[in-house]
Amino acid sequence: MVRLVGRSGSRSARRLGNGRAVRAPGSARPMGERRARHAADRPRWRRVAAPGARRRGGFGLREALGGRSLAGQVFVFQVVIVLLLVVAAVAALVLQGRVDTTTEARHRSLAVAETFANAPGTREALAAPDPTAVLQPRAEAARLASEVDFIVVTDPDGIRYTHPKPDRIGKKFVGNIAPAQAGGTVVEEIDGTIGRLVQAVVPVKADDGTVVGLVSAGITTARVGGTANDQLPLVLGAAAAALALALAGTALVSRRLLRQTHGLGPDEMTRMYEHHDAVLHSVREGVIIVGAERELLLANDEAHRLLDLPADAEGRQVSELGLDPDTAELLASARMATDEVHLVGERLLAVNQRPTDLAGGPAGSVATLRDSTELRALSGRAELARERLDLLYAAGVRIGGSLDVSRTAEELAELSVPRFADFVSVDLFDAVLGGEQPEAGTELRRTALSGIRKDVPLFPVGERIRFVPTSPQARALATGESVVEADLGQAYGWQEQDQERAGQVVEYGIHSLITVPLRAGSLILGLVTLWRCEQPEPFDEEDQALAEELAARAAVAIDNARRYTREHTMAVTLQRSLLPRSLPEQSALEIAYRYLPAQAGVGGDWFDVLPLSGTRVALVVGDVVGHGLHAAATMGRLRTAVHNFAALDLAPNELLSLLDELVARIDQDEAEEGGSAPVTGATCLYAVYDPVARRCSIARAGHPPPALVRPDGEVEFMDVPVGPPLGLGGLPFETADVELAEGSRLVLYTDGLVEDRGHDIDVGLELLGEALRQAGPSPEETCRTVVDARLPARRGDDIALIVARTRALAADRIAEWEVPSDPAEVGRVRAAVTRRLDEWGLEELVFTTELILSELVTNAIRYGAGPIRVRMLFDRTLICEVFDSSSTAPHLRYAAMTDEGGRGLFLVAQLAERWGTRYVADGKVIWAEQPLP
């Protein structure tokens, strides 16, 4: 139980109801202006223990002696002193006993050795024929009598004559005998087989002084240490008794000190005084303690402020403090109260009061006071801060998701209205809208405008604006700092921008603005301007800080969108530069196509149309997995490779095999260099259509199957064997040969047209088939119908589509002859060619054609193998072809002046526009093309 007793004079400590005391700070540590003013007049509080009161927290002797309290520290200190004294006494006794033991052992061993060496008969026994027989009994008798461990007699060289253990007689003595051999005496301590011992070695001298033998006597230190060991128990007993007495006396002293200090240590007591005093006068609640006689015992600084108490309030009756009757009655009554509201002056105080004698404490009460008026104001500020945090959080979530510069600016404007401003405008540099870095001093474009109404007289979206130097926008651009205009009616610099429009704005009711530059690093992307109209308060510094934070987050999103726009534009430019800009002229197919890049980023879809020899045409469609510059660049490499491989007139399966090896090498090179991602996952479909035979050869590597629309409108997906995607290797590719009726439509596409996250690819193929059945007969109509039916709302992947309607070369434009392997047949071939060219109206090409076919047929007869066939095709060019069953390819060479032949192919190459060799299943075809006159 604790009582608080008042005492006049300067206050040195205060004690609360929990029994802890707090020391009042000195003048060097004021706790507030009011506290410093009244510190000298407040009463001092000391702790008085009531009868039967327990120690704080049930603190007992055992805890006190633990060393944390002041009593425990005194107890431990005295115990340590007693222990040190006991240890010092025992150590001194042990060390002294050890010294005395060693000294006695040295004296005894030396005395025994000298006595035996000088004993009568020892010198004569050494000269006897058998010294051992004489000396051994004497040495043992002397050893037993003198209580040493051994007496050893040796010759001058240290060979033993005697020893307690007879088996060691005749062996070399162990020890330092050199001084004794010289006539001196040796006493030394050694560790022998029987323990730590002291041995002495003395010489036995003849009459002439020569050493005739040595005598050694030794004794272990254990045999001479009995005195010290006998004294040790007595010393330890006395030390134990002294320690017990010291502990008892110290415990009594510590117990008394414990009661006086209540188990607190010096540092803890100091910290408790300081902390309790600091807490009592720093809390934002008033604390009042009223005693049993209705006198005010304690009032902290906050209570003085809230109740406007006089400086000498402590010690006076509550009724004398000038409080209103209700508050004074409550504080004097000591009744319980919870958040009871009282009007004190202009403040509404919430009072909580509890009596202090509920748990056996002293009579009185403790009351706490809170200013609910200030709490409501603080609650309002907290709500405003929460709303602004919500605004910033929403900005981080909602702004910048589209990666579109204009849309990001619109998101910023829409988010700020009406939560922060009534109207918001965003002005950006034109370069930012195009994905480039802005240039200082250029005009800005109004990119977004949002507000509570649509008829605001601000610059509309799309307007190009050049701000005058006196405007806040121009100052913000120049300095990079936000600018606040609290009263637009008086802001003449702002009105100079457009005086007529400025008057309309002020008349409209807009009275305040904040303009903040949109900064991303060192770049200023534009401005965001916030306008107030309906809200009567002008923008202040807190609003300016919020606007800057909002603009900073939006600027990052706008800059990300700008960078994306730039990279997307570069990738699209690269991609379109790698795709065919126009289709080559050819007569075999009527072609229409569509290429639709993905909205999220460029991909690797591609297509091409390649004219081949013999009026044939190759169609190719491919897809590189992934998006971005890497996919577009890889697509360009594959398209170039297909161009080169197609020039070799390879079969589709052979071309895909070469393309597969190329992709594998690309992957390997990039893996070794640690570069970008591999190309594995690229797909390709390669088809070759021959209008003469009306046949189409198709091979595919992991690509969706082509669709065929027959002339009657029937749709089917061609059964073309599928190979693995390019770059995987391991499996061969197969070619499917299909005969196509004239007017059939061959549809090639990429997976972006049929694949969708919402359904399986089989469903996509069915939907594509339905669109093809509804399409018109022309390739252009087919492309339009398919794209309208299958184009998703947001393209996640590129779409490439080719529709090719087949044509057949008319029979009257084809001429063929079988040629026997006889050089004489060359003339008949020339005659037949001349007649057919006359029929076609190509008389101007007769000479060159005869010369070309003569050379080609002659080479086939001479170097090839039968059968030999000649074919002429009249298309956009005149094509001459010579077939033989040999697989040996001709080579163009330059003949020397003395060579009789070797100029045939050179002449063909000079006369023809193009020429080459095409391998077929049963031989080869050498062809040459001539332009029509």
Side-chain angles (χ1 to χ4, degrees):
M1 184 180 302
V2 177
R3 279 191 301 115
L4 296 176
V5 181
R7 187 171 62 183
S8 61
S10 298
R11 177 170 53 89
S12 61
R14 287 184 178 151
R15 299 185 179 274
L16 300 180
N18 61 1
R20 293 183 177 231
V22 290
R23 178 176 59 82
S27 58
R29 294 185 298 165
M31 301 301 297
E33 181 179 355
R34 182 180 295 274
R35 181 184 171 197
R37 188 171 64 248
H38 302 304
D41 299 327
R42 290 181 184 160
R44 181 182 304 172
W45 299 97
R46 56 188 177 87
R47 181 184 178 102
V48 180
R54 299 182 57 188
R55 288 179 296 275
R56 181 181 60 88
F59 199 97
L61 179 61
R62 180 177 300 176
E63 291 84 352
L65 300 182
R68 296 179 58 187
S69 66
L70 181 60
Q73 294 178 10
V74 173
F75 175 80
V76 172
F77 178 70
Q78 293 186 8
V79 170
V80 169
I81 291 177
V82 173
L83 287 177
L84 289 177
L85 291 176
V86 172
V87 171
V90 173
L93 179 61
V94 171
L95 292 176
Q96 184 62 39
R98 182 174 296 178
V99 172
D100 294 344
T101 297
T102 303
T103 303
E104 182 180 352
R106 293 174 68 90
H107 292 166
R108 186 183 298 183
S109 60
L110 180 59
V112 172
E114 289 180 343
T115 302
F116 193 85
N118 298 319
T122 300
R123 183 171 49 189
E124 289 77 8
L126 290 173
D130 187 4
T132 299
V134 179
L135 296 175
Q136 178 67 11
R138 296 182 182 179
E140 286 302 303
R143 180 179 67 82
L144 295 176
S146 60
E147 296 182 352
V148 296
D149 289 291
F150 65 85
I151 296 177
V152 177
V153 182
T154 68
D155 66 0
D157 295 326
I159 304 300
R160 297 190 185 101
Y161 289 141
T162 66
H163 197 277
K165 295 181 179 181
D167 59 340
R168 299 189 183 181
I169 296 174
K171 296 181 179 179
K172 184 71 173 180
F173 178 77
V174 178
N176 183 15
I177 62 174
Q181 289 175 333
T185 299
V186 179
V187 180
E188 59 181 348
E189 296 183 34
I190 63 172
D191 291 321
T193 57
I194 59 176
R196 185 71 176 176
L197 57 85
V198 178
Q199 67 179 11
V201 183
V202 299
V204 180
K205 298 180 180 178
D207 294 336
D208 57 359
T210 61
V211 178
V212 296
L214 304 174
V215 176
S216 174
I219 185 172
T220 58
T221 57
R223 299 190 64 175
V224 295
T227 303
N229 293 335
D230 293 340
Q231 297 174 352
L232 185 59
L234 179 60
V235 174
L236 292 177
L243 179 61
L245 292 175
L247 288 176
T250 302
L252 292 176
V253 174
S254 298
R255 187 180 183 90
R256 184 180 181 89
L257 186 60
L258 174 65
R259 287 198 300 267
Q260 296 178 353
T261 60
H262 302 280
L264 299 177
D267 294 339
E268 185 181 1
M269 294 174 66
T270 302
R271 286 196 303 271
M272 184 193 68
Y273 279 110
E274 293 176 350
H275 291 172
H276 280 210
D277 194 62
V279 170
L280 182 64
H281 294 282
S282 298
V283 294
R284 296 294 296 170
E285 287 190 358
V287 178
I288 287 181
I289 300 178
V290 178
E293 304 299 330
R294 305 297 186 264
E295 76 278 12
L296 180 62
L297 300 181
L298 173 66
N300 68 347
D301 292 344
E302 186 67 7
H304 274 269
R305 184 181 72 87
L306 295 177
L307 298 176
D308 195 17
L309 297 176
D312 58 347
E314 281 89 346
R316 296 171 59 182
Q317 293 293 314
V318 173
S319 58
E320 301 174 359
L321 298 178
L323 301 176
D324 66 279
D326 290 340
T327 305
E329 186 276 329
L330 172 62
L331 297 178
S333 65
R335 63 180 174 87
M336 294 184 62
T338 301
D339 289 335
E340 190 172 308
V341 178
H342 289 262
L343 178 61
V344 178
E346 298 179 354
R347 295 188 177 92
L348 287 175
L349 301 183
V351 183
N352 289 273
Q353 183 169 272
R354 294 294 183 273
T356 57
D357 56 357
L358 294 178
S365 63
V366 176
T368 60
L369 313 171
R370 293 198 315 273
D371 190 349
S372 59
T373 307
E374 295 181 357
L375 289 176
R376 281 198 294 270
L378 181 61
S379 177
R381 290 195 298 270
E383 180 65 20
L384 180 60
R386 186 191 62 80
E387 292 178 356
R388 294 188 171 187
L389 287 177
D390 289 343
L391 178 63
L392 294 178
Y393 174 77
V397 174
R398 292 174 50 184
I399 298 177
S402 63
L403 289 179
D404 180 82
V405 176
S406 298
R407 181 54 193 157
T408 304
E410 293 172 359
E411 291 169 349
L412 169 60
E414 293 169 358
L415 177 69
S416 304
V417 176
R419 302 171 67 178
F420 185 38
D422 298 319
F423 298 94
V424 175
S425 60
V426 181
D427 307 316
L428 300 177
F429 291 102
D430 283 336
V432 175
L433 296 173
E436 302 299 329
Q437 290 190 3
E439 298 179 1
T442 59
E443 294 179 335
L444 281 79
R445 184 178 297 275
R446 177 63 48 89
T447 308
L449 177 63
S450 180
I452 58 176
R453 291 189 294 271
K454 300 295 184 182
D455 57 346
V456 61
L458 297 173
F459 287 109
V461 174
E463 184 84 10
R464 296 177 64 89
I465 308 172
R466 183 180 293 276
F467 292 103
V468 297
T470 58
S471 66
Q473 290 86 352
R475 300 203 309 270
L477 288 176
T479 62
E481 303 292 338
S482 61
V483 177
V484 178
E485 288 289 356
D487 187 358
L488 292 181
Q490 302 298 325
Y492 301 108
W494 169 76
Q495 296 178 9
E496 289 182 7
Q497 177 69 41
D498 187 336
Q499 293 186 357
E500 180 180 357
R501 187 182 297 272
Q504 296 174 356
V505 170
V506 174
E507 183 180 355
Y508 189 81
I510 297 177
H511 58 82
S512 180
L513 73 80
I514 297 178
T515 182
V516 187
L518 295 169
R519 296 177 58 94
S522 60
L523 298 179
I524 296 181
L525 308 176
L527 292 167
V528 56
T529 306
L530 302 100
W531 315 76
R532 273 191 178 171
C533 175
E534 297 293 332
Q535 302 181 43
E537 299 84 3
F539 287 113
D540 54 19
E541 293 182 358
E542 292 185 0
D543 296 326
Q544 184 179 9
L546 177 61
E548 291 175 351
E549 180 67 22
L550 189 63
R553 300 192 181 196
V556 173
I558 293 176
D559 189 54
N560 289 339
R562 178 189 68 84
R563 293 171 183 269
Y564 173 79
T565 301
R566 181 185 60 187
E567 294 180 2
H568 182 74
T569 303
M570 293 173 57
V572 169
T573 302
L574 173 62
Q575 184 187 42
R576 294 198 177 278
S577 68
L578 297 175
L579 291 172
R581 299 183 179 179
S582 61
L583 298 182
E585 295 182 357
Q586 45 83 32
S587 302
L589 297 170
E590 179 186 354
I591 297 176
Y593 68 92
R594 294 289 188 276
Y595 184 84
L596 305 173
Q599 293 180 348
V602 297
D605 292 14
W606 55 284
F607 68 94
D608 218 333
V609 179
L610 306 173
L612 302 178
S613 64
T615 70
R616 298 172 305 129
V617 176
L619 300 176
V620 57
V621 175
D623 182 8
V624 176
V625 175
H627 295 83
L629 291 175
H630 179 261
T634 302
M635 174 266 290
R637 299 167 74 177
L638 296 183
R639 179 171 177 260
T640 302
V642 170
H643 269 263
N644 295 331
F645 294 151
L648 301 176
D649 264 329
L650 299 175
N653 60 330
E654 296 177 357
L655 184 142
L656 290 183
S657 297
L658 293 177
L659 203 61
D660 180 65
E661 294 178 3
L662 173 64
V663 172
R665 287 197 300 271
I666 293 175
D667 288 347
Q668 181 179 0
D669 294 342
E670 292 186 351
E672 292 177 354
E673 296 176 2
S676 53
V679 188
T680 302
T683 64
C684 184
L685 186 146
Y686 186 79
V688 176
Y689 175 69
D690 187 352
V692 178
R694 292 184 291 105
R695 297 192 66 83
C696 183
S697 299
I698 307 175
R700 61 186 178 126
H703 205 80
L708 176 64
V709 184
R710 300 190 181 278
D712 58 0
E714 180 184 355
V715 178
E716 65 172 308
F717 289 93
M718 303 174 67
D719 186 14
V720 180
V722 59
L726 300 175
L728 297 181
L731 294 176
F733 299 97
E734 299 182 29
T735 299
D737 290 324
V738 182
E739 183 174 352
L740 302 179
E742 186 175 4
S744 300
R745 282 168 288 166
L746 189 63
V747 181
L748 309 182
Y749 53 90
T750 56
D751 56 3
L753 190 65
V754 295
E755 287 187 351
D756 191 274
R757 295 181 178 179
H759 55 70
D760 191 69
I761 189 173
D762 294 336
V763 177
L765 293 176
E766 292 179 4
L767 296 176
L768 176 60
E770 294 178 2
L772 291 174
R773 293 184 186 94
Q774 300 172 3
S778 70
E780 187 62 34
E781 291 175 342
T782 302
C783 284
R784 186 183 308 112
T785 302
V786 169
V787 169
D788 292 343
R790 295 295 303 137
L791 186 64
R794 179 175 176 81
R795 296 186 300 278
D797 194 6
D798 294 1
I799 295 177
L801 173 65
I802 299 179
V803 179
R805 185 165 63 181
T806 61
R807 297 170 178 167
L809 190 63
D812 58 355
R813 287 177 172 257
I814 304 173
E816 293 184 280
W817 299 277
E818 290 282 344
V819 180
S821 298
D822 183 0
E825 296 295 325
V826 177
R828 286 192 288 273
V829 171
R830 287 199 298 267
V833 167
T834 300
R835 288 193 298 271
R836 181 52 62 93
L837 291 178
D838 290 340
E839 294 175 3
W840 288 343
L842 300 177
E843 295 85 356
E844 297 181 12
L845 300 179
V846 170
F847 175 76
T848 56
T849 305
E850 287 183 349
L851 184 58
I852 289 173
L853 285 177
S854 297
E855 294 296 336
L856 296 181
V857 171
T858 300
N859 285 341
I861 295 174
R862 181 176 301 176
Y863 304 110
I868 300 173
R869 292 190 295 273
V870 175
R871 185 173 72 169
M872 282 198 314
L873 304 176
F874 179 23
D875 191 40
R876 293 179 179 272
T877 60
L878 179 63
I879 303 171
C880 300
E881 297 179 343
V882 176
F883 166 82
D884 68 85
S885 57
S886 172
S887 60
T888 303
H891 295 284
L892 179 65
R893 67 187 184 89
Y894 297 93
M897 295 295 295
T898 56
D899 292 342
E900 296 183 359
R903 299 176 178 84
L905 285 181
F906 178 77
L907 292 176
V908 171
Q910 295 298 315
L911 297 174
E913 185 179 43
R914 295 192 309 154
W915 75 280
T917 303
R918 179 173 75 249
Y919 290 94
V920 293
D922 51 353
K924 69 176 183 294
V925 174
I926 303 177
W927 56 271
E929 289 186 8
Q930 301 177 76
L932 299 179

